[in-house]
Amino acid sequence: MKLKIFVLAFSVGFVFCFSVAVFFVFGFSGNKTEEVFPEVSENPVFLEDEKAVFLLIYEKENSFGPFTLINFDAKAGRIPVFTFSEKAAINYGGVFLSAGALFGSVSPEVFAGTVETNLGIELSGYFIWDSDAADKIISKAGTFDYVLPENIRYSEGATYVNLVSGVQNINGKKICDIIENPKFSEGERCDVASRLTAAFFNRRLKRFLPESNIYPVIFNYSETDVSAFDKERYSKLITVLSASGNSLSGHITNDTERSPETGLLYFSDSTKERIKKYFG
């Protein structure tokens, strides 16, 4: 009889303790899930602009390019990236010049306006960056992982680069080393520049939130026509895009046709359609 009472008491006690434990475990898990995956409204903040397209211009000594378009498209919830070569054909006053040569001969404002006219887009501004800017900005925003599909090895002057295929932790120097690889075709250079930019924003977008201190670094180490006061306006786009918690950025393919006479690279019709779709 005593044994039966003991077994019954033990069973009741076990069921009670198990029920309490289940309640607390699931209650705690539910709260944690809400914190990690918060509900986000479709329009969490008022947006003066629903998107902002910027032109990033890479500068090395006396050469310019590649040139990268990036669209912080809060309405569509994506950040497309498109890069064109310094040898891309740009119509300037009825004459086709390479993008690099044109940028070196006119003001940045004139160049940006010419790009707008040629591509049928509207730019919010431009940023001219170099190896020093890349180093400072990535140091502030944080390095990020990127998968190199193949080894990159070359020696150029005092520069020696030896990057092994596979996962690389990318800093500012590595970005420049990869983009400047002399063994790349212009198409490959544009492709990798877009992929690096997309990978950076997929992993470090939240470092551009309004409370971040990265903006002084950007404005101090790059040349731009964007006012420091505009950062509040554009950072609202970052707030909306960051709320999804997803990878939003991706590269847009750039197909070109080379002129055998001039060596200039002309955008294909399919490329023009992509530019219109993602940046127009």
Side-chain angles (χ1 to χ4, degrees):
M1 183 67 180
K2 289 182 179 181
L3 179 60
K4 290 182 178 180
I5 294 175
F6 173 76
V7 171
L8 179 62
F10 177 81
S11 299
V12 171
F14 176 80
V15 171
F16 174 77
C17 292
F18 178 79
S19 299
V20 172
V22 168
F23 173 79
F24 279 104
V25 167
F26 278 90
F28 177 74
S29 299
N31 291 335
K32 187 172 183 180
T33 301
E34 289 177 3
E35 290 176 5
V36 177
F37 306 104
E39 294 270 345
V40 180
S41 63
E42 293 183 0
N43 299 295
V45 294
F46 169 76
L47 294 178
E48 184 177 346
D49 302 290
E50 294 179 330
K51 68 176 183 179
V53 180
F54 296 103
L55 175 62
L56 310 182
I57 302 158
Y58 183 57
E59 178 180 13
K60 182 189 177 185
E61 297 175 354
N62 294 320
S63 64
F64 308 99
F67 303 86
T68 298
L69 293 173
I70 179 168
N71 184 7
F72 294 99
D73 190 347
K75 183 178 181 180
R78 62 192 179 197
I79 309 175
V81 180
F82 174 82
T83 301
F84 58 95
S85 167
E86 61 184 42
K87 296 180 181 179
I90 302 294
N91 187 333
Y92 180 65
V95 179
F96 281 96
L97 302 173
S98 71
L102 178 60
F103 184 82
S105 61
V106 299
S107 69
E109 288 76 15
V110 170
F111 179 80
T114 305
V115 169
E116 287 181 316
T117 302
N118 273 251
L119 301 183
I121 63 175
E122 183 177 348
L123 294 174
S124 299
Y126 65 80
F127 290 89
I128 304 173
W129 63 285
D130 57 14
S131 58
D132 191 34
D135 181 61
K136 297 296 190 300
I137 293 171
I138 300 298
S139 294
K140 186 66 177 180
T143 58
F144 60 98
D145 288 341
Y146 177 79
V147 179
L148 279 180
E150 58 185 359
N151 298 335
I152 295 181
R153 295 190 177 97
Y154 66 90
S155 179
E156 198 171 61
T159 302
Y160 175 72
V161 176
N162 183 14
L163 299 175
V164 181
S165 63
V167 178
Q168 284 280 344
N169 188 246
I170 301 296
N171 55 24
K173 182 180 183 305
K174 287 183 180 180
I175 286 179
C176 298
D177 288 342
I178 295 172
I179 290 177
E180 294 173 9
N181 183 4
K183 298 178 182 178
F184 279 155
S185 68
E186 287 304 308
E188 290 170 332
R189 194 181 320 283
C190 291
D191 184 75
V192 75
S194 290
R195 290 181 183 277
L196 282 167
T197 304
F200 171 67
F201 282 106
N202 275 331
R203 291 160 177 79
R204 293 292 175 258
L205 181 63
K206 291 187 177 181
R207 302 295 174 89
F208 290 79
L209 289 170
E211 62 271 19
S212 171
N213 292 320
I214 196 172
Y215 291 102
V217 176
I218 295 174
F219 286 104
N220 287 337
Y221 290 96
S222 66
E223 181 182 342
T224 180
D225 63 340
V226 178
S227 167
F229 296 101
D230 285 336
K231 71 179 178 63
E232 298 297 335
R233 174 172 146 196
Y234 295 131
S235 61
K236 290 181 180 180
L237 297 173
I238 305 297
T239 301
V240 175
L241 290 165
S242 297
S244 73
N246 299 321
S247 294
L248 305 174
S249 190
H251 86 290
I252 307 302
T253 303
N254 178 8
D255 296 318
T256 56
E257 299 168 359
R258 183 182 296 275
S259 167
E261 291 82 17
T262 64
L264 295 179
L265 301 173
Y266 289 81
F267 298 124
S268 66
D269 290 339
S270 59
T271 295
K272 292 176 183 177
E273 286 298 317
R274 292 186 198 108
I275 294 172
K276 181 178 179 181
K277 176 181 179 181
Y278 291 103
F279 300 93

